[in-house]
Amino acid sequence: MRKVVRSCSRGKFIGRLGLPGMIWQLPIFNFFWLFWLLGLIEIALDFSIFIQNLKLVAGMIIVPLKYGKDIPNKDNMQSDIEFSLPFSGAWVVINGGVVKKISHSWDLPTQRYAYDFIKLDENANSFTGNFKAATSYHCYGKEVLSPADGIVVEILSNQPDSIISVKGVADCTAKDIRGNYIIIKHAEDLYTILAHLKKDSICVKEGEHIFRGQRIALCGNSGNSSEPHLHFQVQTGISFFFSAGVPIRFSGIESEQFQNYSNYDTRPTYQDVLCPAFISRGQLVVNK
């Protein structure tokens, strides 16, 4: 099934060869237009993911309208809760920051202040051995911890790992772009999501009171993930699509520039956009 979806995803772009037909009326160009129909097959086979992507687009309109000038940002954030890193040991921020230049997904209001974490070795390699095997990655199967006290309000735990085929390209085999995930309520209008967890590794239940530092799952590669990593975000509501993302203030952590980070990623890092109160892409972070 995944091979069919991937083939349709790639094949539909052959339809671009039909564009010259808008100028030159040749039958061959009409033939190429037919390849866009493969996109309909892709949507039908991955319909749940298609609907979720539509919701993300809708959220780009609804969230700013809902919050207006009160949408959370690094200057107006009022939360009394400061968070711990949701793991033990030293990990590296590969996506995330509180300004547009290094944001995880600035145009998606819910994920605007999200972070992606992985483990890198001293040479900035995220894996050893076969890059197609999730178990080759340093962070895969590592413990995921609760970032603060709270109540588990929603989980998904039975989704498979995504296929790792090309570096940086996600091939989601799950029915949810988050893969396996946990949503925790910490206060009114303050929730966290931890996503891309390992299948059947979640060890807490909906309605359970959990505590800062408690083991809740294992890091995986489920959902819209190109390689094993942990996605973490704070938001104003339970909805992944229609809540506003909140800048995350961590307490009791240490951070520093990760040496050789450019070997892994050449995009701008926190050094280019200094926001001392927050962590950013390119930093090695650890709970004290």
Side-chain angles (χ1 to χ4, degrees), residues 16-257:
R16 293 173 178 172
L17 297 176
L19 292 175
M22 299 175 68
I23 302 174
W24 298 291
Q25 301 299 318
L26 296 176
I28 185 63
F29 294 124
N30 293 331
F31 169 76
F32 285 124
W33 280 118
L34 294 175
F35 279 88
W36 288 115
L37 295 176
L38 293 174
L40 298 178
I41 298 176
E42 180 188 8
I43 290 172
L45 294 177
D46 248 348
F47 190 68
S48 61
I49 300 299
F50 173 71
I51 293 299
Q52 289 180 8
N53 284 323
L54 287 182
K55 288 182 178 180
L56 288 174
V57 173
M60 295 170 66
I61 301 171
I62 293 171
V63 174
L65 289 175
K66 179 180 178 181
Y67 290 92
K69 295 181 179 180
D70 295 325
I71 193 167
N73 60 56
K74 65 182 179 63
D75 299 316
N76 70 3
M77 197 189 71
Q78 301 294 321
S79 171
D80 294 329
I81 297 178
E82 294 185 332
F83 295 90
S84 300
L85 295 165
F87 44 74
S88 60
W91 293 52
V92 178
V93 183
I94 60 165
N95 282 309
V98 294
V99 294
K100 185 174 183 178
K101 188 174 182 179
I102 52 176
S103 169
H104 179 286
S105 304
W106 188 263
D107 294 327
L108 297 175
T110 307
Q111 299 181 56
R112 179 168 293 176
Y113 303 112
Y115 288 104
D116 287 335
F117 298 99
I118 63 171
K119 293 182 73 68
L120 297 176
D121 63 24
E122 59 202 27
N123 297 314
N125 294 313
S126 58
F127 67 92
T128 301
N130 180 11
F131 83 93
K132 293 184 178 180
T135 52
S136 297
Y137 288 78
H138 305 314
C139 67
Y140 187 78
K142 294 295 188 289
E143 291 186 349
V144 175
L145 310 177
S146 175
D149 297 353
I151 301 173
V152 178
V153 294
E154 187 173 307
I155 63 172
L156 181 65
S157 63
N158 63 354
Q159 300 300 296
D161 281 335
S162 293
I163 297 168
I164 306 171
S165 56
V166 180
K167 182 174 176 60
V169 177
D171 186 3
C172 181
T173 56
K175 297 301 182 182
D176 193 294
I177 56 178
R178 294 165 289 185
N180 302 306
Y181 65 87
I182 300 173
I183 302 179
I184 306 168
K185 180 178 180 180
H186 301 283
E188 288 300 322
D189 301 325
L190 199 66
Y191 295 74
T192 56
I193 294 183
L194 301 106
H196 309 311
L197 306 174
K198 186 178 180 182
K199 181 181 179 181
D200 297 329
S201 72
I202 296 175
C203 52
V204 293
K205 299 179 180 179
E206 291 183 6
E208 182 176 346
H209 289 257
I210 59 176
F211 304 96
R212 184 187 302 269
Q214 179 180 338
R215 172 183 167 178
I216 55 177
L218 301 178
C219 181
N221 190 50
S222 57
N224 191 37
S225 174
S226 59
E227 67 173 271
H229 71 283
L230 176 62
H231 176 99
F232 176 59
Q233 68 185 59
V234 179
Q235 58 191 49
T236 56
I238 193 172
S239 173
F240 180 67
F241 305 100
F242 305 118
S243 302
V246 176
I248 306 172
R249 293 190 184 275
F250 291 98
S251 65
I253 73 169
E254 296 178 345
S255 63
E256 63 182 37
Q257 177 188 357

Side-chain angles (χ1 to χ4, degrees), residues 91-96 102 116 120 255-262 265 267-271 279-285:
W91 293 52
V92 178
V93 183
I94 60 165
N95 282 309
I102 52 176
D116 287 335
L120 297 176
S255 63
E256 63 182 37
Q257 177 188 357
F258 183 79
Q259 299 299 317
N260 301 320
Y261 182 77
S262 60
D265 183 1
R267 294 175 300 165
T269 67
Y270 81 100
Q271 296 181 93
I279 63 173
S280 303
R281 183 196 299 143
Q283 287 186 294
L284 181 74
V285 294

